[in-house]
Amino acid sequence: MREAIRLSVENMRAGKGGPFGAVVVKNGQIIARGFNRVLETNDPTAHAEVVAIREATQKLGTFHLAGCEMYASCEPCPMCLGAIYWARLDKLYFANTREDAAAIGFDDQFIYEEIGRPIEDRCCFTRQMLRDEALAAFREWTEKPDKELY
C-alpha cells in the first residue's frame, strides 16, 4: 500500500495526473505499478488502477489476473472497479475513500447515480438502435466453436 501511496504523491507532484496510485501484487511481489496519467496522456481512462492492470496483463501474458491482489491509494471509481472485476483480481485493498476523493474534487457520485437510472433519464443522450443487425454478431459468437470465454 505504501508503494501505491508513494506513486500517487510522486506523479501528482510531477503534474501527470491526480493523486492516485496502484500496484498489482502476485505471490507477495509487486508485478505492476500504475499512477494516474490522465493529464500526461490526455486519456480519461488512464486511472492508476487501469494503468496497473494493463501493465500486469502484459507482463503475465493473460487477461485474467486471478491469483493477484491490487493495492490502491484510493477506493476505485466505477470504471476502475469494473476493470478490477473484469480482470478477476482476487483481492482489493484501498486507503482513501471515495468520500475523501470527492472532498478534493474527484466526485464520482453522479456516475453511481446514472448507472441506476433508466436509459432515457440519463444525462448523456442514449438511444438504442439497429439491435436486429447487431444480434447477428451475437448469434455468430454463440455458434463459434473456437471461442475463448472471458
Side-chain angles (χ1 to χ4, degrees):
M1 183 61 77
R2 286 187 177 96
E3 177 64 3
I5 294 168
R6 185 193 70 74
L7 288 167
S8 74
V9 173
E10 178 181 295
N11 294 288
M12 177 260 312
R13 288 177 179 165
K16 296 179 180 182
F20 304 98
V23 296
V24 175
V25 173
K26 183 171 183 150
N27 299 325
Q29 299 296 314
I30 294 174
I31 62 164
R33 290 171 170 79
F35 54 88
N36 186 289
R37 299 181 65 196
V38 171
L39 297 178
E40 177 185 39
T41 63
N42 291 319
D43 178 355
T45 69
H47 291 196
E49 299 89 340
V50 171
V51 171
I53 287 170
R54 289 174 180 162
E55 182 178 311
T57 58
Q58 290 299 304
K59 282 188 177 176
L60 296 177
T62 180
F63 50 84
H64 280 170
L65 296 178
C68 296
E69 305 170 348
M70 176 171 285
Y71 293 80
S73 66
C74 187
E75 183 177 357
C77 74
M79 175 186 69
C80 293
L81 188 59
I84 289 164
Y85 278 100
W86 278 115
R88 310 288 198 278
L89 287 151
D90 289 352
K91 296 178 182 177
L92 166 66
Y93 301 94
F94 65 88
N96 292 319
T97 66
R98 68 187 198 193
E99 292 81 13
D100 296 329
I104 63 164
F106 294 93
D107 191 352
D108 298 322
Q109 187 59 37
F110 78 98
I111 297 173
Y112 290 103
E113 292 169 4
E114 283 287 294
I115 290 169
R117 290 179 194 201
I119 290 172
E120 62 275 6
D121 293 339
R122 293 182 182 167
C123 292
C124 179
F125 175 84
T126 305
R127 177 83 29 97
Q128 183 180 21
M129 58 189 293
L130 301 177
R131 179 174 182 248
D132 290 338
E133 290 181 37
L135 280 173
F138 280 17
R139 283 191 293 277
E140 187 174 330
W141 171 260
T142 301
E143 297 167 8
K144 186 173 173 34
D146 61 342
K147 66 182 167 243
E148 184 175 357
L149 295 175
Y150 54 93

